[in-house]
């Protein structure tokens, strides 16, 4: 199956990643495992820095899931989901620090917020971080002087 055009991705990939992320984050909340959240933080970091296709969940989707599906009917820009991975990284990092330093309430709060965002994407296809990205870009366009 051919790869998507540069700067685009199959929107089913991020939704698959959000499903796995939701499961991991739910397990973190159930077990209180700061180390599992640290592993998820690395996954977010890879997705934000290298792109979703190069993250572990992106690799799983590309290798195990996508070959079994029909080609996507549409593609989406890669930048908003990549930004969302960065937001997830921030929340997961704060949560990891909370759990590992004994500030459990901080770990629970940050993990819960990250889980809410991941679940919205997994269950409903609504990427909260992507929407924030688009709002920031809209704001950037409004404050940029004309002609630049």
């Amino acid at each position: 199956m051919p790869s998507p055009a540069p700067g685009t991705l199959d929107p089913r990939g991020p939704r698959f990643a959000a499903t796995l992320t939701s499961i991991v984050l739910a397990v973190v909340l159930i077990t209180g495992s700061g180390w599992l959240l640290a592993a998820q933080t690395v996954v977010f970091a890879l997705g934000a820095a290298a792109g979703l296709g190069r993250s572990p969940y992106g690799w799983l989707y590309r290798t195990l899931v996508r070959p079994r599906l029909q080609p996507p009917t549409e593609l989406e820009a890669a930048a908003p989901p990549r930004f969302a991975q960065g937001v997830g990284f921030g929340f997961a990092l704060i949560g990891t620090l909370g759990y590992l330093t004994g500030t459990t309430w901080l770990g629970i709060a940050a993990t819960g917020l990250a889980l809410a965002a991941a679940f919205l994407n997994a269950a409903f296809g609504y990427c909260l971080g992507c929407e924030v990205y688009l709002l920031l870009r809209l704001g950037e366009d409004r404050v940029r002087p004309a002609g630049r």
Side-chain angles (χ1 to χ4, degrees), residues 111-135:
T111 303
L113 291 170
L115 174 57
F119 182 78
L120 281 173
N121 194 355
F124 305 109
Y126 184 81
C127 177
L128 191 57
C130 299
E131 295 300 323
V132 170
Y133 174 86
L134 296 173
L135 285 172

Side-chain angles (χ1 to χ4, degrees), residues 41-57:
T41 303
V42 171
V43 172
F44 279 134
L46 290 170
L52 291 170
R54 292 186 180 96
S55 75
Y57 298 161

Side-chain angles (χ1 to χ4, degrees), residues 26-54:
V27 171
V28 168
L29 286 175
I30 292 166
T31 64
S33 174
W35 294 109
L36 180 58
L37 186 55
Q40 179 61 50
T41 303
V42 171
V43 172
F44 279 134
L46 290 170
L52 291 170
R54 292 186 180 96

Side-chain angles (χ1 to χ4, degrees), residues 16-148:
F16 172 79
T19 301
L20 295 179
T21 299
S22 295
I23 293 166
V24 169
L25 294 175
V27 171
V28 168
L29 286 175
I30 292 166
T31 64
S33 174
W35 294 109
L36 180 58
L37 186 55
Q40 179 61 50
T41 303
V42 171
V43 172
F44 279 134
L46 290 170
L52 291 170
R54 292 186 180 96
S55 75
Y57 298 161
W59 180 85
L60 284 172
Y61 175 76
R62 190 175 61 254
T63 305
L64 301 176
V65 178
R66 188 168 179 206
R68 291 166 174 73
L69 302 175
Q70 295 292 323
T73 57
E74 60 186 37
L75 300 175
E76 70 180 18
R82 191 170 179 173
F83 175 84
Q85 290 289 295
V87 173
F89 168 75
F91 279 97
L93 182 61
I94 291 168
T96 298
L97 293 173
Y99 278 116
L100 298 181
T101 62
T103 315
T104 307
W105 67 267
L106 182 60
I108 292 169
T111 303
L113 291 170
L115 174 57
F119 182 78
L120 281 173
N121 194 355
F124 305 109
Y126 184 81
C127 177
L128 191 57
C130 299
E131 295 300 323
V132 170
Y133 174 86
L134 296 173
L135 285 172
L136 290 172
R137 291 299 307 258
L138 179 64
E140 177 186 6
D141 291 344
R142 288 187 178 184
V143 298
R144 182 180 299 137
R148 283 190 154 178

